[in-house]
Amino acid sequence: MTDTVRKAGTTHQGKHQEVYEAQRKYPRLILDVPGILVKQNEEIIKVIIHDLSIDGVQMRCDHQTAGIIYPSGKFIKPGKGPLVQITFSLPVEEATRKVDATCQIFYISGIGDNQIAFGLQFRKFKGNSGANIDHFIMQKIEPVEDRMRTYLETPHSIQEISEFMRMEVN
């Protein structure tokens, strides 16, 4: 692994994290759930799935694990990252639903003390994994829409609406 990956927050990749964030097509839901990453050589690695959108996840790990996942630590050109398999569970209603997907590494970024973030784009789902993600996202979005609808049905001042729009979304 190169020194550029070891120095969290000062990596070439880390400087571009804001660019990756701005390029996101879809909002992200924070998860912070354990996951398993399997490299093409079938090496199994434990990771944390930090967030999820309809088109991918951000996965996090320590520097040592990042060196196993992506040993070169070099900048990843769009569409050129290696393929990996990820598996994790989503809390949906009263149960959990499994996600098993092939992903392409989109970026790697140092994000803090001994922590590296990988952006992964979904390429292929196994079984009902895609439907499980859709169901999870809809479960999280619908309550917000219902709250907005209920709120907007009664008159409010501009100040009240402004404060409401800054609400925390769970």
Side-chain angles (χ1 to χ4, degrees):
M1 187 159 67
T2 66
D3 287 337
T4 58
V5 173
R6 288 195 183 108
K7 296 176 184 172
T10 62
T11 69
H12 179 66
Q13 305 282 334
K15 292 176 186 175
H16 298 289
Q17 187 171 6
E18 296 82 20
V19 173
Y20 295 126
E21 297 292 327
Q23 290 177 348
R24 287 184 168 173
K25 295 177 187 175
Y26 306 102
R28 297 286 170 143
L29 297 169
I30 303 297
L31 292 176
D32 287 327
V33 298
I36 300 292
L37 179 138
V38 181
K39 292 176 55 172
Q40 288 180 332
N41 68 2
E42 299 186 9
E43 187 171 7
I44 297 170
I45 303 163
K46 293 180 181 180
V47 297
I48 297 295
I49 305 300
H50 174 67
D51 66 30
L52 167 78
S53 80
I54 200 155
D55 71 341
V57 296
Q58 185 184 90
M59 175 196 79
R60 294 185 176 182
C61 60
D62 62 27
H63 289 273
Q64 182 177 2
T65 304
I68 296 167
I69 295 169
Y70 189 64
S72 76
K74 292 181 180 177
F75 180 79
I76 300 170
K77 293 179 183 176
K80 301 293 183 184
L83 295 176
V84 295
Q85 191 72 26
I86 58 164
T87 305
F88 59 97
S89 293
L90 292 171
V92 179
E93 295 164 349
E94 301 297 320
T96 59
R97 295 193 184 187
K98 183 178 177 182
V99 173
D100 192 350
T102 300
C103 297
Q104 187 166 39
I105 298 177
F106 186 71
Y107 70 83
I108 177 174
S109 180
I111 57 171
D113 292 337
N114 196 30
Q115 198 168 54
I116 302 293
F118 285 88
L120 306 178
Q121 288 186 326
F122 296 127
R123 293 293 184 231
K124 185 177 178 184
F125 294 108
K126 288 188 179 177
N128 292 328
S129 295
N132 291 343
I133 289 170
D134 290 345
H135 189 81
F136 176 79
I137 290 172
M138 290 309 297
Q139 174 189 313
K140 295 294 183 183
I141 291 173
E142 285 175 356
V144 173
E145 289 175 348
D146 290 343
R147 285 172 41 196
M148 286 295 293
R149 214 173 286 114
T150 301
Y151 183 82
L152 293 174
E153 287 174 352
T154 57
H156 295 282
S157 71
I158 292 174
Q159 178 66 29
E160 290 172 320
I161 293 170
S162 175
E163 290 172 9
F164 181 76
M165 295 303 289
R166 291 188 196 117
M167 68 182 180
E168 288 286 322
V169 177
N170 297 333

